[in-house]
Amino acid sequence: MIPEKTAEPLVKPLIEQRADPFIYKHSDGFYYFIASVPEYDRLELRRAETIAGLADAERVTVWTKPDTGPYSDLIWAPEIHHVHIEGQAPTWAIYFAAAPSREIKHDLFQHRMYALTTTDANPLEAQWELTQVDSGIDTFCLDATVFEHEGKHYYLWAQKGPEIAGNSNLYIAEMDTPTSIVGEPVLLTKPEYDWEVIGFLVNEGPAVIKKNGRLFIGYSASATNHNYCMGLLWADENADVLDPASWEKSPRPVLESDYERGIYGPGHNSFTVSEDGSEDILVFHARTYTKIEGDPLWDPNRHTYVKTIRWNDEGFPEFGKPSEP
């Protein structure tokens, strides 16, 4: 039984009908926003000088799916990054997942991971090149993000483990170019707690923030309805990030549905910073109702929200409730 809503949320969506939201603040002073569109058919980019300005910023379609082929359907969870690996040209990269169709095989869609890249300065006007990003495991995979640490670049993503029950686990590998990895994928976490296995066994949507001597990975778990929620991994900044033993995992979700104020299924987060750089900002999607007709994937009303992250005396993030600023 889902509890009844008894009060109004204290926040409104930043952008409606945009799931899997990603906001990146670049050195040019602009915030860049990209997300899954309800049609799952294109990559749409916008930018503004403020976070609030993204809501009304011009939408630029930088890529549209072809009618057929391996990346012709279900364009999911894009992120835009500016990647500068030593000895290589600074590169804009849009990482996303796509499938050849909506056919289910072995209980899963057929997504693989791709990247659009360009060395042009302005990604809204760029010429893009498409590349498949091969993880070395030929199974359902999605939700890639990248980050730099101690001069090295890392690729972090969700994938079906060939010998692991469920939909997806989180893996990490070092990168040698903006579109390729070196070494074997390293398993960081798989669904194991009760709150990670509701509806589906899912760990997905990783995002990285570095603060207070630690690296934190926010990720999402369970089915994409009101059970969807955020988990948290962390490691010491001096630890080997490719060693699973370096990472600890919260036994409880760090952001979950607020039934009292009616914000449901918060997750698939990213991180950005305030305009003056003084505050860390959580970016996530959520719905404002629980009664969904059919599969939640076809419900368009996952909206983009932002909220300020508080940091406690132990140096850990406190995300509060999704209904609060």
Side-chain angles (χ1 to χ4, degrees):
M1 186 73 177
I2 298 173
E4 290 291 326
K5 173 182 171 183
T6 59
E8 291 302 312
L10 303 176
V11 293
K12 293 183 178 180
L14 173 67
I15 301 172
E16 294 188 346
Q17 293 194 341
R18 289 297 181 269
D20 314 321
F22 187 84
I23 297 178
Y24 166 64
K25 188 179 185 183
H26 189 45
S27 57
D28 62 4
F30 284 102
Y31 287 93
Y32 290 83
F33 174 83
I34 196 166
S36 298
V37 300
E39 299 83 6
Y40 301 139
D41 65 350
R42 65 191 185 277
L43 298 175
E44 181 189 274
L45 189 61
R46 62 179 88 179
R47 72 177 184 180
E49 293 180 336
T50 64
I51 294 173
L54 291 168
D56 298 316
E58 178 187 5
R59 307 172 190 178
V60 177
T61 298
V62 297
W63 182 82
T64 302
K65 72 175 186 65
D67 292 333
T68 60
Y71 42 83
S72 59
D73 213 338
L74 298 176
I75 311 305
W76 285 358
E79 295 191 3
I80 184 167
H81 294 265
H82 196 254
V83 182
H84 190 190
I85 297 174
E86 185 176 358
Q88 302 177 34
T91 300
W92 284 103
I94 298 175
Y95 300 98
F96 67 99
S101 70
R102 300 190 177 190
E103 182 183 1
I104 301 292
K105 289 186 177 180
H106 308 295
D107 299 322
L108 292 167
F109 288 112
Q110 303 170 64
H111 284 77
R112 299 297 185 268
M113 298 180 293
Y114 298 90
L116 292 181
T117 56
T118 183
T119 55
D120 293 349
N122 183 353
L124 276 72
E125 300 174 349
Q127 296 295 312
W128 296 91
E129 179 180 345
L130 188 143
T131 306
Q132 183 173 353
V133 182
D134 184 4
S135 73
I137 306 172
D138 189 22
T139 58
F140 171 78
C141 52
L142 71 171
D143 293 356
T145 192
V146 302
F147 68 97
E148 181 276 333
H149 184 59
E150 300 294 335
K152 295 182 178 180
H153 288 75
Y154 298 91
Y155 191 74
L156 175 62
W157 73 99
Q159 184 151 18
K160 164 66 178 174
E163 307 300 328
I164 301 174
N167 287 39
S168 59
N169 319 298
L170 296 188
Y171 294 86
I172 189 172
E174 188 178 343
M175 305 173 75
D176 59 346
T177 76
T179 58
S180 59
I181 65 172
V182 290
E184 294 295 319
V186 174
L187 174 66
L188 287 189
T189 175
K190 61 183 180 181
E192 53 192 326
Y193 293 117
D194 290 348
W195 51 272
E196 296 179 298
V197 300
I198 304 173
F200 297 102
L201 284 68
V202 169
N203 282 177
E204 66 178 17
V208 176
I209 186 170
K210 294 191 278 187
K211 189 88 167 184
N212 301 327
R214 297 183 182 93
L215 281 77
F216 297 93
I217 298 175
Y219 68 95
S220 296
S222 288
T224 58
N225 56 16
H226 61 278
N227 294 304
Y228 205 54
C229 60
M230 264 184 65
L232 190 70
L233 304 174
W234 64 89
D236 185 275
E237 65 179 358
N238 297 314
D240 179 3
V241 299
L242 294 178
D243 182 355
S246 298
W247 295 90
E248 297 184 61
K249 179 177 181 177
S250 172
R252 295 174 297 278
V254 295
L255 189 73
E256 55 190 327
S257 290
D258 183 346
Y259 294 99
E260 178 185 2
R261 293 188 180 274
I263 302 292
Y264 307 105
H268 209 293
N269 74 287
S270 58
F271 298 105
T272 190
V273 295
S274 61
E275 286 77 5
D276 64 2
S278 66
E279 293 181 316
D280 297 299
I281 305 296
L282 178 71
V283 186
F284 64 97
H285 75 229
R287 289 189 178 90
T288 57
Y289 54 83
T290 60
K291 294 180 181 179
I292 299 169
E293 296 290 335
D295 192 315
L297 285 173
W298 314 125
D299 178 279
N301 293 311
R302 290 180 290 175
H303 305 317
T304 295
Y305 290 84
V306 296
K307 74 188 311 292
T308 302
I309 301 170
R310 275 75 177 178
W311 295 89
N312 65 25
D313 292 340
E314 286 73 44
F316 281 78
E318 293 186 345
F319 299 106
K321 296 182 178 182
S323 62
E324 300 170 347

